[in-house]
Amino acid sequence: MIGAILHSVCMEKVREYPFARCFNKHILPPYEPDYLNKTHGLANSCSQGKIKNFSKKGVTYVFYLTRYQGKLLEYQGKYFIIGYFRVDSYIRHPCEERMVLYGAEDSKFVSIHNAWKVTEQKWLKLFSKFPGYNLRWLGNGRILNENQIQPLLEYFSDKPNEINCYVRP
């Protein structure tokens, strides 16, 4: 079991949910990940290097890290892991030469109240070094081993899955 952390920007400033989105104004729909279809990389190519790397390394869990910018002031500006896709498969995009990951049914995304808040103490339990709150070092594309994945899965195990709240109408 191999995992990875992928940073996605929290674009929604008017709602409570920390929608992690990769935005590309030239492609519709412009958002990644696609919570409804449980894919990442189908709508645009913002994370292609990382998805290809995940495919090569056999990553089975992708955890989404975001800096909250929603309407709840007590969470703004803080970093959270908001959920994950258990990767079912990697395929080539049907129209382009790029990879797409597909999440399985046990994918889970939680409310900001239930998200895993990134703190130095919690981070050090998973990794030997805390890089500070710098996304370049914090975890974008960071590969996780089974001992690092298990505590995250345990944390999310008793949290309600609110992935349907992430799906845009």
Side-chain angles (χ1 to χ4, degrees):
M1 183 165 47
I2 299 172
I5 293 177
L6 186 61
H7 171 255
S8 287
V9 178
C10 177
M11 299 288 289
E12 296 283 334
K13 296 184 182 210
V14 295
R15 298 175 72 172
E16 287 185 24
Y17 282 87
F19 292 90
R21 303 283 192 204
C22 175
F23 181 73
N24 182 335
K25 66 182 177 183
H26 303 292
I27 300 171
L28 296 174
Y31 300 115
E32 295 285 3
D34 180 340
Y35 300 103
L36 179 63
N37 296 310
K38 299 182 177 90
T39 64
H40 194 124
L42 192 59
N44 62 55
S45 58
C46 63
S47 301
Q48 275 309 292
K50 290 178 183 52
I51 292 173
K52 285 179 184 175
N53 187 43
F54 297 167
S55 174
K56 288 177 188 173
K57 294 185 182 280
V59 167
T60 52
Y61 283 93
V62 176
F63 294 90
Y64 285 85
L65 171 76
T66 194
R67 183 174 178 215
Y68 184 75
Q69 297 179 43
K71 73 177 190 176
L72 300 176
L73 296 177
E74 66 268 30
Y75 297 104
Q76 284 185 353
K78 297 179 175 87
Y79 291 92
F80 297 88
I81 294 178
I82 59 171
Y84 63 87
F85 281 156
R86 186 179 69 77
V87 180
D88 187 43
S89 62
Y90 293 90
I91 65 163
R92 288 260 174 229
H93 190 280
C95 302
E96 300 176 28
E97 278 298 308
R98 58 183 159 115
M99 296 297 291
V100 177
L101 67 82
Y102 277 88
E105 291 304 312
D106 68 345
S107 301
K108 183 180 273 193
F109 286 83
V110 300
S111 70
I112 192 64
H113 309 292
N114 288 322
W116 192 85
K117 183 179 178 187
V118 174
T119 65
E120 184 172 358
Q121 183 180 20
K122 286 166 113 179
W123 196 263
L124 286 172
K125 285 183 180 180
L126 296 181
F127 306 105
S128 59
K129 182 181 176 189
F130 181 68
Y133 293 103
N134 176 330
L135 282 177
R136 182 171 170 209
W137 299 107
L138 192 56
N140 197 17
R142 181 183 293 269
I143 300 299
L144 308 173
N145 63 37
E146 191 168 348
N147 294 332
Q148 295 163 324
I149 295 169
Q150 207 55 46
L152 291 171
L153 291 176
E154 287 172 12
Y155 176 84
F156 286 109
S157 68
D158 65 343
K159 306 294 185 263
N161 191 355
E162 299 189 44
I163 194 167
N164 290 333
C165 296
Y166 282 74
V167 176
R168 297 291 296 253

